Amino acid sequence: GAGVSQSPSNKVTEKGKDVELRCDPISGHTALYWYRQSLGQGLEFLIYFQGNSAPDKSGLPSDRFSAERTGGSVSTLTIQRTQQEDSAVYLCASSAQRDTASDFGAGTRLSVL
Amino acid sequence: QKEVEQNSGPLSVPEGAIASLNCTYSDRVSQSFFWYRQYSGKSPELIMSIYSNGDKEDGRFTAQLNKASQYVSLLIRDSQPSDSATYLCAVKVGNQFYFGKGTSLTVFP
């Protein structure tokens, strides 16, 4: 079946612009996660959605970052007034049940010039 | 604060050898444990999951879990150059994943 789909695969933007990154999880997966990975670094947790519950936003680095998940499926991560330090690969993952692993999308590589 | 610790490496082993990757975690209620492999420039892919104490084997990979010691490891037998990647340990508590920073493995011919 289809895996986790992310778009765009690459995004180049100018400092100060807003960007939207999209994640389409695996059908039926109730949990959705956003991570950020800078070059050569580990995964940095950003936000987590579980069903219709309030999201866990504890990893968002600043109020310029926000995310939505509509209808329990597609999610959008928005970064306002982008800064050069926002440049990274943004990874989305989804998970089906309590004890199962998460499947990752291919990521969006964001470059802020 | 839930922490997952891995040796950052790099770990370098010759082709055909056993590569041993280690991970410790701080949260005693953790119940699900995963190993992901991440090739350079790619996203993580799941290679092993383990839920019970003991060993779990899948081909050349063996995961070992010791909940009392809060320790999970991954052994790669007959290492191949294609195994060269960063290996991420992940611990799941409830529905939240906690990842280690990864161990870089290089298998040289």
Side-chain angles (χ1 to χ4, degrees):
Chain A
V4 178
S5 177
Q6 291 189 246
S7 62
S9 55
N10 283 284
K11 176 70 176 179
V12 179
T13 191
E14 294 178 349
K15 178 181 173 180
K17 301 281 191 182
D18 298 351
V19 296
E20 283 191 353
L21 313 179
R22 176 188 168 103
C23 173
D24 200 343
I26 292 173
S27 178
H29 280 195
T30 58
L32 186 148
Y33 311 81
W34 283 100
Y35 298 92
R36 179 168 69 175
Q37 189 172 36
S38 301
L39 188 63
Q41 301 299 308
L43 293 172
E44 177 186 2
F45 166 74
L46 297 177
I47 188 169
Y48 154 61
F49 295 89
Q50 174 60 48
N52 295 319
S53 302
D56 177 353
K57 303 180 182 180
S58 59
L60 295 178
S62 77
D63 59 7
R64 297 187 295 105
F65 288 72
S66 62
E68 292 184 334
R69 188 178 185 191
T70 55
S73 181
V74 172
S75 177
T76 302
L77 177 69
T78 301
I79 308 173
Q80 296 178 311
R81 305 181 303 281
T82 51
Q83 304 295 311
Q84 287 184 332
E85 61 262 29
D86 299 334
S87 297
V89 176
Y90 288 81
L91 290 163
C92 175
S94 69
S95 175
Q97 298 174 14
R98 184 175 180 86
D99 294 323
T100 58
S102 57
D103 295 283
F104 282 84
T108 294
R109 183 175 299 277
L110 175 65
S111 300
V112 182
L113 304 179
Chain B
Q1 181 74 15
K2 297 177 176 59
E3 295 184 352
V4 179
E5 301 284 343
Q6 295 182 249
N7 291 334
S8 61
L11 176 65
S12 185
V13 300
E15 185 174 358
I18 296 175
S20 178
L21 305 163
N22 304 316
C23 174
T24 59
Y25 58 95
S26 63
D27 195 316
R28 290 189 173 274
V29 302
S30 305
Q31 295 189 345
S32 307
F33 306 85
F34 309 95
W35 283 99
Y36 288 83
R37 177 176 62 198
Q38 186 174 26
Y39 290 115
S40 181
K42 302 293 186 183
S43 58
E45 58 178 328
L46 178 71
I47 53 172
M48 287 287 286
S49 57
I50 187 166
Y51 306 100
S52 307
N53 278 328
D55 295 359
K56 179 181 178 182
E57 186 174 319
D58 183 0
R60 295 186 295 111
F61 298 97
T62 298
Q64 299 174 317
L65 175 60
N66 184 325
K67 290 187 179 182
S69 300
Q70 296 177 236
Y71 174 89
V72 57
S73 66
L74 179 70
L75 300 178
I76 307 174
R77 290 183 302 281
D78 188 24
S79 296
Q80 301 296 310
S82 59
D83 295 326
S84 298
T86 296
Y87 289 80
L88 302 171
C89 171
V91 172
K92 195 173 187 183
V93 180
N95 281 309
Q96 182 59 287
F97 290 89
Y98 299 89
F99 284 86
K101 294 188 182 300
T103 298
S104 175
L105 171 67
T106 298
V107 181
F108 56 92

